[in-house]
Amino acid sequence: IAEFSQVSCIRKMWLPVILAVFATLLQGTNAAIPSFTNTRNIDASSGNVSIVVENTPRDEIVGFVRAVDPDGGPVTYEIVSGRAATYFSINENTGDIFVKSNNLDTDSISGDERFTLSISVRARSVNSGDYSQIYTGVIQLRDANDNAPVFDTRVITIPISEAT
């Protein structure tokens, strides 16, 4: 009987503490994957694609992504892949996508993706281990008429008869 009393006493003493610690851990744990709610100007599936004219000034916002953490915690953003990462940056707190440098020139981009650049953005739940989701979109570049025409220095004479 004495043993039972001691165990019962220990159980009564530690059970509230254990429950309080467990409840605190549950409240402080963010265990949900953020989900994208808005992808302005990079959503190829909806036809809502940003068209950026070459030579657009540095730091101009060309689109954004937004995600929410189902637990209500903050979300950060980063560009994780895609050819667009060379030419565009993202604000890690707001998800705004902007031009990275002043030399955005389609003439200097080679390959088939010259005018359509893919961009993959990770939204990460700040208060969690590695709860994140990746969204892949598209940014289109438009060539600007920024090169003067070049004429041949030769003079070409073509006779045209009046009867033609």
Side-chain angles (χ1 to χ4, degrees), residues 17-78:
V17 173
I18 292 169
L19 289 176
V21 169
F22 185 67
T24 303
L25 288 174
L26 283 178
Q27 290 173 356
T29 301
N30 185 351
I33 297 172
S35 60
F36 286 92
T37 58
N38 196 340
T39 54
R40 189 190 82 166
N41 292 349
I42 66 165
D43 188 359
S45 64
S46 71
N48 185 9
V49 177
S50 182
I51 298 175
V52 181
V53 178
E54 70 176 345
N55 301 321
T56 296
R58 180 179 183 202
D59 296 332
E60 184 163 324
I61 295 174
V62 297
F64 65 77
V65 294
R66 297 291 187 267
V68 294
D69 179 344
D71 292 334
V75 175
T76 60
Y77 305 92
E78 66 178 318

Side-chain angles (χ1 to χ4, degrees), residues 52 81-88 104-120 136-143:
V52 181
S81 68
R83 197 156 180 203
T86 305
Y87 308 101
F88 300 95
L104 182 60
D105 186 3
T106 58
D107 298 328
S108 67
I109 303 171
S110 62
D112 294 336
E113 287 188 344
R114 182 171 159 195
F115 296 106
T116 303
L117 303 175
S118 66
I119 183 168
S120 293
T136 300
V138 171
I139 296 177
Q140 290 185 348
L141 298 180
R142 180 167 291 153
D143 193 16

Side-chain angles (χ1 to χ4, degrees), residues 65 77-79 88-98 121:
V65 294
Y77 305 92
E78 66 178 318
I79 297 175
F88 300 95
S89 294
I90 192 164
N91 181 306
E92 69 175 8
N93 297 311
T94 66
D96 292 342
I97 299 169
F98 54 92
V121 175

Side-chain angles (χ1 to χ4, degrees), residues 149-157:
V150 177
F151 291 98
D152 195 352
T153 56
R154 297 180 303 163
V155 175
I156 299 174
T157 306

